[in-house]
Amino acid sequence: MKLRKASAAAATAIVLSITATACGGDGDSDSNSGSGGGDKIKIGIKYDQPGLGLKEPGGYSGFDVDVATYVAKELGYEPDQIEWVETKSADRENALKRGDVKFIAATYSINDERKKSVDFAGPYLLAHQDLLIKTDSDITAATDLNGKKLCSVQGSTSAQNVKDDFAPKADLQERSGYSECLAALQSGAVDALTTDDSILAGYAAQEQYKGKFKLAGLKLSNENYGIGVKKGDTETVNKINAALEKMVKDKAWDKAVADNFGPANYKNEPAPKIGVIVK
């Protein structure tokens, strides 16, 4: 009888343990729930874009970082609960599909091709494609890039846009990150770096590059920055959109623009309206 009682007690304990696990889960299961209450939320950003997403010895800075931090707080997460994850251009869609991050704020332009595999909240910034060139460069128009070396990063559409629409004879040079393109521009290995003016302004404003580079001042495209979310996660998209609207309304968006782009004298567009894509 004692043996049978002991066995029954053990079985009950196992059932209770399984039930608790099924209902509550471990701490990590809520880390990317997006509804707050979890220990952490993983957010994808760039690590090498001054003024937008930059990893520094003391932490992270930039407009995308400020926007993501504001959104995370509206989702129920304090800054110390954010785990920043580097998401390079070529890996953004896969990072969302794998569930590596809850959302991505990384100069992620909304376009029809990307919307096939990613849902977007926003847009939260309207940028324009431009060129970064040396201050003594003779490039004044996109057509001047014919026969010249043009750098952009893997997974970005910027360089291909130039080749398709303006300079079919441009020699495209891809690098893994914008920092590598910038080094190539400085050494003379390439003649121009192309991406969004917001990104280029951040690089041009860095202390070590002041006076060496300039923006060409061309508006070659409209880039509607959105926050990428895993396909089908409509609930999170709606929550992020509400957070972005609140950020604009309470002027936190204006402060983030001034803090991150002001030193580069960047002429930003007004805050875009949620769901309105400028073609």
Side-chain angles (χ1 to χ4, degrees), residues 91-108:
D91 196 44
R92 288 178 297 204
E93 286 81 14
N94 288 330
L96 288 170
K97 289 179 182 178
R98 293 191 302 260
D100 296 347
V101 294
K102 185 62 179 178
F103 64 82
I104 294 176
T107 59
Y108 206 176

Side-chain angles (χ1 to χ4, degrees), residues 34-37 41 70-77 103 236 239-240:
S35 59
I41 182 170
Y70 188 100
V71 168
K73 187 172 181 62
E74 291 301 305
L75 296 181
Y77 296 91
F103 64 82
T236 299
K239 288 180 178 179
I240 293 176

Side-chain angles (χ1 to χ4, degrees), residues 71-278:
V71 168
K73 187 172 181 62
E74 291 301 305
L75 296 181
Y77 296 91
E78 296 299 324
D80 61 0
Q81 292 178 287
I82 297 173
E83 182 178 337
W84 301 108
V85 178
E86 183 179 21
T87 49
K88 293 186 176 182
S89 295
D91 196 44
R92 288 178 297 204
E93 286 81 14
N94 288 330
L96 288 170
K97 289 179 182 178
R98 293 191 302 260
D100 296 347
V101 294
K102 185 62 179 178
F103 64 82
I104 294 176
T107 59
Y108 206 176
S109 296
I110 301 171
N111 62 41
D112 291 339
E113 184 63 29
R114 287 170 178 164
K115 285 194 290 185
K116 293 177 182 178
S117 55
V118 174
D119 283 340
F120 284 98
Y124 65 93
L125 184 72
L126 175 60
H128 304 284
Q129 185 179 346
D130 202 353
L131 304 176
L132 188 67
I133 53 181
K134 287 187 175 181
T135 52
D136 60 354
S137 173
D138 59 357
I139 295 173
T140 58
T143 52
D144 293 336
L145 291 169
N146 281 308
K148 295 186 182 295
K149 294 180 180 178
L150 175 65
C151 192
S152 193
V153 301
Q154 297 167 355
S156 173
T157 59
S158 298
Q160 192 61 48
N161 288 344
V162 171
K163 191 173 179 68
D164 290 344
D165 299 334
F166 302 102
K169 295 182 180 179
D171 180 8
L172 299 187
Q173 303 280 318
E174 286 192 327
R175 301 290 193 275
S176 61
Y178 291 108
S179 297
E180 288 84 353
C181 274
L182 197 69
L185 179 61
Q186 185 175 22
S187 69
V190 299
D191 300 294
L193 161 58
T194 186
T195 187
D196 305 342
D197 52 8
S198 56
I199 299 172
L200 298 175
Y203 282 117
Q206 287 184 289
E207 189 64 36
Q208 67 269 37
Y209 297 129
K210 284 183 178 178
K212 296 181 179 180
F213 306 121
K214 64 181 180 181
L215 289 168
L218 311 177
K219 292 186 176 182
L220 303 179
S221 69
N222 294 319
E223 305 298 332
N224 301 267
Y225 288 177
I227 293 182
V229 177
K230 188 174 183 179
K231 191 70 176 177
D233 191 355
T234 305
E235 180 182 2
T236 299
V237 170
N238 291 337
K239 288 180 178 179
I240 293 176
N241 279 336
L244 293 174
E245 288 177 339
K246 182 179 178 182
M247 186 178 187
V248 172
K249 186 176 181 179
D250 67 14
K251 304 299 183 182
W253 187 90
D254 293 312
K255 183 179 186 303
V257 169
D259 289 347
N260 294 291
F261 298 135
N265 198 32
Y266 171 65
K267 306 299 184 183
N268 67 282
E269 300 278 5
K273 294 187 180 299
I274 300 299
V276 177
I277 307 300
V278 179

